Amino acid sequence: MKRFSPVAVWIVFSLILAASLAGCFGKPPPPQQFLRVDLGQAPCPGSANAQQRLPLGIKPLKALENLDRTAVLTAHDNVLTASLQYYWEGAPQDLVGQALRHGIECQSASLTPVDYQPRVTHDAVLTGQLTAFNVDETEGGRFVVSLHLDLWSRNLGTRISSGDFNAYAPLDNFSGDAVAKAASDALGRVVPKVVTWLDDGLPRIQKFMQQQ
């Protein structure tokens, strides 16, 4: 009877172990794909009259803890699940903040956005928190954007007004391209709401400026 060498036995054992582990862990995760949303990076006509508008200091948006991640989230009833395949280019609050800033720059008739700096005088300041930026499986599938914003008088002295803003965009399917497009559409719907709210707050901003 032929005897097997220790090396051959070890090779066979390794192959069996590898096969067993493959069965335990299943298939490898899908390749990561990074989604891009339209943030309106191109120059816009509104920037030409920026010197005629009041500077609005914008602080970076905050986000709920579960949203402070780049993985795309999907809501099913009351449960949010993070994708293992689709990811945003950056943190959602940063993407929404860029879209807001560009929208104010291009669409506002009274305010022009500037970076908030603690030691610089700002006629008004905008702060806020992102509360939703995810796929929602209800109603056939849609993308949801929600945020809470606060408008402050000069140097965060007095809160002038607060607002909650929401927008939805339908999903054709749940592919990466469809999710990115729906996210862009939802941003395109929520930003004008914010701009209108800010412009409506101009009289109160000017009132506080006169009092100081």
Side-chain angles (χ1 to χ4, degrees), residues 21-147:
L21 291 176
C24 292
F25 292 107
K27 297 181 179 179
Q32 296 181 0
Q33 299 182 34
F34 294 87
L35 309 186
R36 307 187 69 176
V37 295
D38 182 9
L39 302 177
Q41 298 295 336
C44 56
S47 59
N49 64 342
Q51 295 182 349
Q52 302 174 12
R53 298 180 288 170
L54 293 178
L56 174 67
I58 298 181
K59 298 190 70 173
L61 290 179
K62 297 180 180 179
L64 297 177
E65 185 175 353
N66 65 312
L67 294 178
D68 190 13
R69 61 178 67 194
T70 58
V72 173
L73 298 174
T74 297
H76 182 74
D77 294 331
N78 295 323
V79 179
L80 280 173
T81 303
S83 174
L84 298 178
Q85 180 177 8
Y86 297 128
Y87 297 82
W88 302 113
E89 288 186 295
Q93 64 268 28
D94 295 335
L95 299 178
V96 175
Q98 292 177 48
L100 277 180
R101 178 164 183 151
H102 184 270
I104 297 168
E105 179 73 26
C106 296
Q107 302 172 28
S108 176
S110 57
L111 300 168
T112 186
V114 297
D115 292 333
Y116 173 81
Q117 300 181 50
R119 297 179 181 85
V120 175
T121 299
H122 301 283
D123 293 326
V125 179
L126 182 68
T127 64
Q129 183 181 51
L130 183 66
T131 55
F133 192 79
N134 60 270
V135 172
D136 188 346
E137 292 185 345
T138 61
E139 298 185 6
R142 61 183 182 175
F143 195 88
V144 181
V145 178
S146 300
L147 60 158

